[in-house]
Amino acid sequence: MRVVVLVSGGGTNLQALVDAAADPAYGVQIVAVGADRDGIEGLARAERAGIPTFVVRVRDHRDRVAWDVALAEEVLAFEPDLVVGAGFMKILGAAFLTRFDGRVVNTHPALLPSFPGAHGVADALAYGVRVTGCTAHFVDAGVDTGPIIAQRTVEVRDTDTEESLHDRIKVEERAMLVEVVGRLARESWTVDGRRVRVGVAG
Ligand code: GRF
C-alpha cells in the first residue's frame, strides 16, 4: 500500500512507520512525507530514509482554502492509497478530504472523543483524568471526530508533567499507529457509520 505521511514536528511516529516499512512483509511503501513547515526533524527523518519530501506553507497561499487545494495536489501527485497524519497540526479542509475521502488516518494523543484539538495531553492532565491514551481514527470534516480505528490507554501519574505524560503516550501511540497502518495495508476494512472493522475478524 502506497502511503503519504504528513508531519509538523519531531516525526517520531513517522520514524516508527519508516522502520516498520523496511520489512517488505509489513506491506507499506512510504512514497512521500509532507509538512506544513520547513526545518523540522520529521522532514530530516524522511530525507535520511531517502523518502521524497514536500512542504506546503499556509503563508505561501492567499488563504486557507488555496493552501488546502495545494496540499491535496502535492499529495495526489504521489498517488497514495492512504494518507497518514502523524503529528500533523493543521485541519484538512473539504478540498483535501473530497480527494481522499475515507482514506485519511490521524493519530491523536488522547482517548477521543475526550480532549480533541491541539492540546489533548495538557487538557487531560488539567482535567485530572487517571487514564488517558491515544486514538487512531479516520479523518472527517470535524476536528478529531472521525470513526475510531484503534485506541491505547496510558495511566496518568501524580508526578506527570505534560511532557512526561506525552512521552509515555507516544510510546503507545507509535506502536498503535504501526499496527493500524500495517493492518489497513494487509487486510481490508469497512466503515459502517462510526464503526470501523479491519480484516474479516473485525
Ligand atoms: C503525537 O503525539 C501526535 O499525536 C500529536 O503530536 C505528536 C507528534 O509527535 N499531534 P511526533 O512528531 O510524531 O514525534
Side-chain angles (χ1 to χ4, degrees), residues 19-160:
D19 296 346
D23 176 357
Y26 183 61
V28 170
Q29 183 190 1
I30 300 174
V31 295
V33 172
D36 59 331
R37 64 198 76 180
D38 293 296
I40 54 168
E41 184 60 13
L43 291 172
R45 292 178 187 277
E47 287 154 14
R48 287 197 292 271
I51 298 170
T53 61
F54 59 88
V55 176
V56 185
R57 301 183 309 178
V58 173
R59 65 172 173 271
D60 293 340
H61 298 274
R62 67 178 176 285
D63 59 26
R64 194 59 184 260
V65 171
W67 170 83
D68 190 62
V69 169
L71 179 70
E73 285 168 358
E74 285 276 359
V75 173
L76 211 57
F78 289 99
E79 298 178 336
D81 302 302
L82 191 74
V83 179
V84 177
F88 188 63
M89 300 305 280
K90 290 283 189 304
I91 302 302
L92 296 168
F96 194 97
L97 295 178
T98 302
R99 281 170 175 78
F100 297 105
D101 184 39
R103 292 184 292 131
V104 183
V105 171
N106 186 51
T107 178
H108 181 73
L111 293 176
L112 295 173
S114 298
F115 313 118
H119 311 288
V121 179
D123 294 345
L125 196 59
Y127 193 91
V129 297
R130 306 313 298 168
V131 175
T132 186
C134 50
T135 302
H137 63 96
F138 285 111
V139 173
D140 66 7
V143 177
D144 299 326
T145 54
I148 291 171
I149 306 167
Q151 293 186 300
R152 298 259 181 125
T153 59
V154 172
E155 298 278 335
V156 180
R157 296 174 184 162
D158 293 341
T159 54
D160 266 327

Side-chain angles (χ1 to χ4, degrees), residues 9-14 86-89 107-109 166 170 173-174:
T12 65
N13 279 283
L14 164 69
F88 188 63
M89 300 305 280
T107 178
H108 181 73
H166 201 168
K170 283 168 76 169
E173 185 176 25
R174 290 189 284 264

